[in-house]
Amino acid sequence: MSASVKESLQLQLLEMEMLFSMFPNQGEVKLEDVNALTNIKRYLEGRREALPPKIEFVITLQIEEPKVKIDLQVTMPHNYPFVALQLFGRSSELDRQQQLLLNKGLTSYIETFDPGELCVCAAIQWLQDNSASYFLNRKLVYEPSTQAKPVKNTFLRMWIYSHHIYHQDLRKKILEAGKRLDVTGFCMTGKPGIICVEGFKEHCEEFWHTIRYPNWKHISCKHAESMETEGNGEDLRLFHSFEELLLEAHGDYGLRNDYHMNLGQFLEFLKKHKSEHVFQILFGIESKSSES
């Protein structure tokens, strides 16, 4: 791998050391993969050839006034801090609109940092210094203002690929997350498993973190489409709800119910929802009409 990736990983380890010194008590920094830091060290020492998984963790922050807790979810891309950090703050004391505004403020602050700057500690400090107003002034957000300027939001559509999606518990978790959040799309069960989720960026990222956590390894976001909007994003949606997609299977291989989904039917489904271009991105083959 390039030296820039190794340099990035070295800086990530340095920042994790700072975080553990700031939060020394057990459980304050919860790594999604407890072996993540060890695997990165082995990679940097040349004892591991494969690129290690990304560092993902949650830090629970205690806000003094008001007395509330915020869970800060962090994902470090391999090239961070030379690419953007993925952050999301959540609290049971915030409603959906306030959580959206909190994360907009946090994201705007992080975007002021130059490439190469570590910013997790700064994000924590920003939340400790600025989050109180989001709790104390919740009702003010809904007061109409004749001089209010249109707020631009990022509408996101994520295309997620998994080797398979079978288990009922996992399918239930995906559907519950899709219906709980203000997102639309589908989950195609079987082999392969495909998930499309669309909505405001903050909601899609929360959905992505929810279904992956604590440790779903055979899954990746193959493609993402983002658009700026000043409205509610309804005109950008390709789907009207979040539902499970059940297609015909090509066979049953023993007790594993190893169903290979009918990709021809899936292609027709994508065409119906103006998404035919995603077929090649997901499977690496060009789409062919069922009529040809």
Side-chain angles (χ1 to χ4, degrees):
M1 280 306 230
S2 65
S4 62
V5 173
K6 290 189 175 182
E7 180 183 357
S8 298
L9 295 177
Q10 289 170 341
L11 290 171
Q12 290 178 26
L13 289 180
L14 176 63
E15 187 162 39
M16 293 306 299
E17 289 180 11
M18 291 189 289
L19 289 173
F20 282 119
S21 66
M22 291 171 59
F23 300 91
N25 297 325
Q26 185 175 3
E28 288 183 308
V29 180
K30 297 181 280 289
L31 286 166
E32 181 173 328
D33 182 354
V34 295
N35 297 315
L37 304 186
T38 299
N39 287 331
I40 288 178
K41 290 176 182 177
R42 289 175 176 171
Y43 175 77
L44 293 175
E45 293 168 357
R47 293 188 291 143
R48 174 191 172 104
E49 293 185 5
L51 191 65
K54 292 180 288 189
I55 299 176
E56 298 181 89
F57 58 93
V58 177
I59 297 178
T60 299
L61 305 177
Q62 179 68 57
I63 308 301
E64 293 302 320
E65 186 60 39
K67 289 283 186 181
V68 293
K69 292 182 179 180
I70 297 178
D71 286 336
L72 179 62
Q73 302 166 0
V74 182
T75 298
M76 293 180 171
H78 289 125
N79 287 99
Y80 166 77
F82 300 99
V83 299
L85 184 70
Q86 297 172 20
L87 292 169
F88 189 84
R90 71 166 77 200
S91 172
S92 60
E93 300 297 323
L94 289 176
D95 58 38
R96 186 176 296 176
Q97 178 67 11
Q98 278 306 112
Q99 193 160 272
L100 178 67
L101 291 173
L102 174 70
N103 282 286
K104 279 184 176 295
L106 177 60
T107 300
S108 296
Y109 173 66
I110 294 302
E111 287 175 350
T112 65
F113 284 74
D114 294 327
E117 288 189 90
L118 297 170
C119 56
V120 177
C121 295
I124 292 170
Q125 189 62 52
W126 187 91
L127 286 171
Q128 291 173 333
D129 293 342
N130 297 278
S131 61
S133 61
Y134 294 91
F135 293 91
L136 298 176
N137 300 318
R138 293 174 62 173
K139 294 182 180 179
L140 297 180
V141 177
Y142 302 101
E143 295 180 0
S145 172
T146 57
Q147 298 180 350
K149 295 181 179 179
V151 177
K152 287 189 176 182
N153 295 303
T154 300
F155 186 88
L156 184 65
R157 184 176 301 111
M158 302 175 68
W159 295 91
I160 299 166
Y161 180 95
S162 174
H163 180 264
H164 61 268
I165 300 176
Y166 293 136
H167 297 297
Q168 287 285 22
D169 288 346
L170 177 58
R171 292 162 60 181
K172 180 180 178 182
K173 180 179 181 180
I174 294 170
L175 286 174
E176 287 179 347
K179 295 181 184 298
R180 175 174 58 85
L181 299 166
D182 188 17
V183 298
T184 51
F186 66 88
C187 170
M188 183 179 81
T189 59
K191 180 179 181 181
I194 305 295
I195 302 171
C196 175
V197 59
E198 59 179 8
F200 284 145
K201 180 174 181 287
E202 292 80 4
H203 298 154
C204 291
E205 289 179 346
E206 183 176 0
F207 173 91
W208 178 227
H209 182 86
T210 299
I211 66 169
R212 291 189 66 198
Y213 194 81
N215 197 12
W216 187 357
K217 294 184 180 300
H218 302 292
I219 187 173
S220 62
C221 179
K222 283 290 190 77
H223 183 56
E225 302 160 347
S226 62
M227 295 146 276
E228 294 295 322
T229 178
E230 293 180 355
N232 57 15
E234 292 304 313
D235 58 323
L236 299 175
R237 294 185 188 271
L238 299 180
F239 304 92
H240 300 297
S241 60
F242 190 90
E243 304 291 344
E244 188 171 52
L245 176 62
L246 299 173
L247 300 179
E248 293 180 2
H250 282 308
D252 182 347
Y253 296 86
L255 298 178
R256 293 180 56 230
N257 294 327
D258 203 4
Y259 298 117
H260 291 255
M261 304 314 295
N262 188 319
L263 297 186
Q265 283 189 355
F266 183 55
L267 175 58
E268 293 305 314
F269 173 81
L270 291 178
K271 289 179 179 179
K272 181 179 177 182
H273 291 88
K274 303 177 182 178
S275 301
E276 180 182 355
H277 65 285
V278 179
F279 191 88
Q280 184 174 4
I281 296 172
L282 292 172
F283 304 110
I285 54 178
E286 292 187 8
S287 62
K288 294 182 179 180
S289 172
S290 59
E291 298 176 358
S292 61

